[in-house]
Amino acid sequence: AAQTIVMAAAATKPHEIAADELTGVSVPLAHTSDDAAARPGPGQQEHVADVAEEGRSSRPPEVTNAIPHMALLDLYILFLGFGIRAFGGPIAQIQMMKEYFVVERRWVSLADFNRVYALYQALPGPEAAELACYFGLLCRGRSGAVVGGLGFITPGFCILLFIVWLYVDYGLQSGVVLASLTAMQITATAMILRACVKMAEHSLMDSDTGAFSPLYGMCALFAFLTATMGVHFFITLLLCGFYCVLLRQREQVLFHRLLAAFITAAGLVVYIHYVSFTGARPGQFTFGASGISSGASLGGIFTLGLLAGLLTFGGAYTTIPFVYADAVESAGWISAPQFLDCIAITNTMPSPTVMFTVMVGFIGRRLPGAILMVLGMFLPAFSFTLIGHGLFQRIIAWEKMHAFLDGLSAGVIGLIVQTALVFMKQAVQTPLQALLFGLSLAALHQYPHPIAPLVIVLCSAIAGQSLFYEG
């Protein structure tokens, strides 16, 4: 049935094949006219799996039904159900919505879904939450968008809030819990590194040729080096974006190349002079960027969440270096092992991966901190739908914006690699830990199913009782 649907869609619109970001599944992508289509975001490709199963109707998904006018409470309960079943990360969550709204209910066509998803890939914010807002908007307007988004994130927020309360008040006193958390930290480090590799397969590839782009590779290397030196990440990402705008012109001129070289040299000279005159050591200050570095203030926590939400390009793991730099390295109100615990535990819960910020905020300022961190994190996802889907579609269609966002996407890869190496240095210190890290990395590579990270984290927690329990 899935092949029949694909063939029917191909008969009406030309299509291309793109690889799933995490699972490697090839899927059809419909192309549309310039005034209707949204080009994919920074170095990304649409990675949605086939939407039909054996035994389903072979009617083309371009045929749609009328969207019902649901009561807000019913709409909230609908997306609450999606949130309760949101295991397996963003790919599984998006596939679940696609199955329901495209295949079963036919609120939108397959082609329209691909266009909307492509747009939300280009915009910052968790794509699954943005899609929940979008379908809520179709049903009940802006109030429906808010209700749909809230319904989707409520289960994960409540569950993680309860778990982090147990973690902070009771968990650290138990040798059994500590043994499992030690193993889960190692697996979380492997997950970050594996996610970085998968993201690089798209972000560092030329969208026209499908081959590795030396320009994007240079941006990633530049971001890695400047992050190691301690350069503010805003400076790094802006430079990466401008590099691509200047150097990805079809008719490259010497002036553009010289200007890019001058920007690099000037930036490094200014930074070196700053270090020389202030006495600051490279790496002493971090690339975090909120007022939270002066203490875990509520305003700083909200600002950090908002900043992370605005910089979620290419997946939830892109938020990790920004939150880590400020909360761990700069302010120090959460330790690196605790930060890894937050990521590992969140991957076992039915919630978007970015909900690890619930635990980070709670450790900083208890319940108010958790609420404000999540509010800042998801505010961009809600706002983009409420402000206007069409407006951002036109912005993303601007060619120079493609180049700038591609540069940002490549630069983020370098930042994540630098953060992953910091995690490795802290979590993998003995041969036994290195063995567990290698096994986790191999399992993540060998089994790309969306549920695999959940199973691997749970297995590592069980193995931790034998490997690290000292009771």
Side-chain angles (χ1 to χ4, degrees):
Q3 293 178 349
T4 305
I5 288 181
V6 171
M7 293 174 64
T12 58
K13 294 180 181 290
H15 68 283
E16 62 178 329
I17 299 297
D20 187 297
E21 181 180 346
L22 298 182
T23 63
V25 178
S26 296
V27 299
L29 304 175
H31 286 287
T32 59
S33 60
D34 292 338
D35 60 342
R39 181 174 175 173
Q44 299 172 323
Q45 302 289 337
E46 297 93 332
H47 51 274
V48 189
D50 291 338
V51 298
E53 298 175 355
E54 290 296 334
R56 294 195 181 274
S57 169
S58 61
R59 182 174 56 163
E62 279 69 17
V63 180
T64 59
N65 298 326
I67 298 175
H69 184 82
M70 301 175 62
L72 290 178
L73 179 59
D74 293 336
L75 187 65
Y76 179 79
I77 293 174
L78 172 64
F79 283 97
L80 193 70
F82 286 126
I84 293 173
R85 294 174 288 147
F87 288 99
I91 300 301
Q93 295 158 10
I94 292 167
Q95 172 63 19
M96 180 171 55
M97 292 188 196
K98 186 177 183 182
E99 180 74 22
Y100 182 85
F101 291 112
V102 178
V103 177
E104 296 180 5
R105 301 298 177 179
R106 302 188 186 277
W107 283 20
V108 297
S109 68
L110 175 61
D112 285 340
F113 180 89
N114 283 340
R115 295 173 203 142
V116 173
Y117 184 38
L119 174 61
Y120 286 137
Q121 282 185 295
L123 294 173
E127 292 99 333
E130 288 171 332
L131 284 173
C133 293
Y134 171 75
F135 284 112
L137 180 73
L138 293 181
C139 183
R140 285 297 304 268
R142 287 183 169 84
S143 59
V146 175
V147 168
L150 288 177
F152 180 70
I153 66 175
T154 296
F157 176 82
C158 294
I159 294 172
L160 286 171
L161 194 62
F162 176 70
I163 290 177
V164 71
W165 172 70
L166 294 176
Y167 174 86
V168 171
D169 290 354
Y170 303 102
L172 296 180
Q173 302 172 3
S174 169
V176 174
V177 174
L178 285 174
S180 291
L181 289 178
T182 299
M184 292 168 67
Q185 291 167 12
I186 298 171
T187 301
T189 303
M191 291 170 61
I192 295 171
L193 190 61
R194 176 59 183 165
C196 184
V197 172
K198 295 301 295 180
M199 292 167 59
E201 292 177 357
H202 298 288
S203 297
L204 303 186
M205 298 298 167
D206 190 298
S207 57
D208 296 326
T209 65
F212 172 77
S213 170
L215 176 59
Y216 299 156
M218 181 195 74
C219 289
L221 179 61
F222 175 79
F224 173 80
L225 295 176
T226 53
T228 303
M229 295 169 61
V231 177
H232 197 289
F233 82 88
F234 265 140
I235 299 175
T236 297
L237 294 182
L238 285 175
L239 286 175
C240 289
F242 284 126
Y243 286 154
C244 285
V245 172
L246 293 172
L247 299 180
R248 214 178 71 171
Q249 303 287 340
R250 293 182 178 179
E251 296 180 359
Q252 292 188 14
V253 296
L254 180 61
F255 171 75
H256 289 159
R257 298 180 181 180
L258 292 177
L259 181 59
F262 173 78
I263 292 174
T264 303
L268 292 178
V269 167
V270 169
Y271 174 71
I272 292 172
H273 277 278
Y274 175 81
V275 172
S276 301
F277 283 110
T278 62
R281 300 187 307 274
Q284 182 178 352
F285 50 92
T286 67
F287 48 89
S290 75
I292 204 171
S293 57
S294 60
S297 66
L298 292 177
I301 287 178
F302 172 77
T303 304
L304 178 59
L306 181 62
L307 176 65
L310 288 169
L311 293 170
T312 314
F313 288 104
Y317 284 96
T318 60
T319 64
I320 290 175
F322 312 124
V323 179
Y324 177 85
D326 212 317
V328 179
E329 293 188 341
S330 182
W333 47 266
I334 178 174
S335 67
Q338 287 177 320
F339 192 86
L340 285 172
D341 289 342
C342 295
I343 298 172
I345 292 172
T346 302
N347 274 280
T348 66
M349 298 294 116
S351 69
T353 306
V354 295
M355 291 294 278
F356 79 89
T357 52
V358 173
M359 301 185 67
V360 174
F362 187 92
I363 293 173
R365 288 296 297 270
R366 306 291 291 191
L367 179 61
I371 294 174
L372 287 175
M373 180 73 98
V374 172
L375 178 63
M377 173 66 69
F378 284 92
L379 187 60
F382 282 71
S383 299
F384 290 141
T385 301
L386 295 175
I387 292 174
H389 178 88
L391 171 62
F392 290 102
Q393 191 174 31
R394 290 191 293 272
I395 293 175
I396 295 301
W398 187 28
E399 185 176 354
K400 284 187 171 56
M401 183 60 70
H402 295 165
F404 185 80
L405 293 177
D406 285 351
L408 260 64
S409 180
V412 165
I413 298 298
L415 298 181
I416 300 177
V417 170
Q418 193 270 345
T419 305
L421 293 180
V422 172
F423 287 156
M424 284 182 60
K425 182 179 178 181
Q426 296 171 344
V428 183
Q429 298 180 352
T430 67
L432 189 59
Q433 292 171 337
L435 176 62
L436 180 59
F437 175 81
L439 291 175
S440 300
L441 194 61
L444 290 167
H445 174 75
Q446 185 66 28
Y447 303 102
H449 192 277
I451 300 297
L454 166 65
V455 176
I456 294 170
V457 169
L458 292 177
C459 289
S460 68
I462 297 172
Q465 297 302 309
S466 301
L467 298 176
F468 305 114
Y469 181 61
E470 298 177 354

